[in-house]
Amino acid sequence: MDTVVVSVVLPAYNEGERFPPYLGQLVQEGIKHPFPAVEFIVSDDGSTSEHAHQTRAGVATAQAMLSRAGSVHRVAYVAAERNAGKGSAIRRGWSHVSPESTWLAFLDADGSVGAKEFFRLAALVAASSEVDVVAGSRILMAGRRVTRSLFRHLQGRLFAAITDLQFQLRFYDTQCGVKFFRASLLRLLLPALREDRWLLDVELLALMKRRNARVLEVPIDWAEVGGSKLTPSLDPLRMLWGLTRLKKRLERLADVPLAPEAGGGAVSRSLWEQPRRSASTLSSTP
C-alpha cells in the first residue's frame, strides 16, 4: 500500500446485516478513486457473535476485492470484548491506524453518508493544507440532498443550540457522523479523550477549539437510515446532562501542547460563506 493519507474508523455494533453491503460500496468506489489512499478500520463495539462473524466476513470480502483490483486502499478489523459506545469504538480504532496517516477520521457505519460523498470529502482533505478539521454538515443547501425526519431534525437543532450555548463552537451540526482531523493535531489530543458514547464529537471539537484549529464545515448529501441505536426518550436527556459534565471536565483539563506545524495564520472557510472567501479559525475566543 502507498503511504496512507486517510485512516477512517467505522464504529459498528450489531451491524452484521446492513454494514457489509455498505462496506462493499465504499470499496467499489475506492477502487475507482485511488487518491487519497484510505485505510478503513472497522471497529466492532462488542457485537453479538453472529453480528461479529458477519462483520468480520464482510471485512475479509472487502479486502479481497481490493487485493484483486490492486488497489492502494485496505480494510482492517478490530473488536472490543464488550459494548462500550460509539466514542469508545472510534478511539479504539484510532489506536490501530497506520503511523503514516496524515488524516484520522470516523464515519458512521449505517450508510447515511454515501460512498461517493465520503470519497469527495476524503479528496478534499487530502488536497488541503489550510484546514485541520473537516466536518460534514446536514444542512439543506442548493445542490445538496438531506433526507431526515422532522423529529430528528428538530431534536438535532435543539441539541446544537444547547451545545453552542455551552461551548461556543459556532457549528451548525456537531453530530454529523463524518469528520476528519489532521493527524499531527489529533494524536496529541488522543490521551485527553474520555467520551465513550455520543459526545465524542463535541469533546473533539472543543479540544480543537482550544488549540485554535482551522475548521471547515462542509454541507453533504445525507440520508437517514432506520435502526438507530439512540433511544429517543432517554439518550437525548443523557446527552444534555453529559454536555454539562463534559464542560466541567474540560475546564479542569490542562492545555495539551501543540505541534509547531499545527495551526498557524491560514484560516478556513465557513459553510455560510461563498467558496472564494475565507472565514475565521475555530479559535478559543468567541
Side-chain angles (χ1 to χ4, degrees), residues 156-166:
R157 298 314 311 136
L158 176 61
F159 181 83
I162 295 173
T163 300
D164 201 52
L165 283 173
Q166 295 210 51

Side-chain angles (χ1 to χ4, degrees), residues 61-100:
T61 299
Q63 181 56 56
M65 291 172 59
L66 291 172
S67 297
R68 287 195 300 270
S71 174
V72 297
H73 310 304
R74 70 180 177 204
V75 187
Y77 177 89
V78 298
E81 293 183 0
R82 61 182 63 86
N83 177 250
K86 173 185 172 179
S88 175
I90 291 171
R91 292 192 287 113
R92 178 177 295 103
W94 279 338
S95 71
H96 288 81
V97 301
S98 168
E100 299 174 330

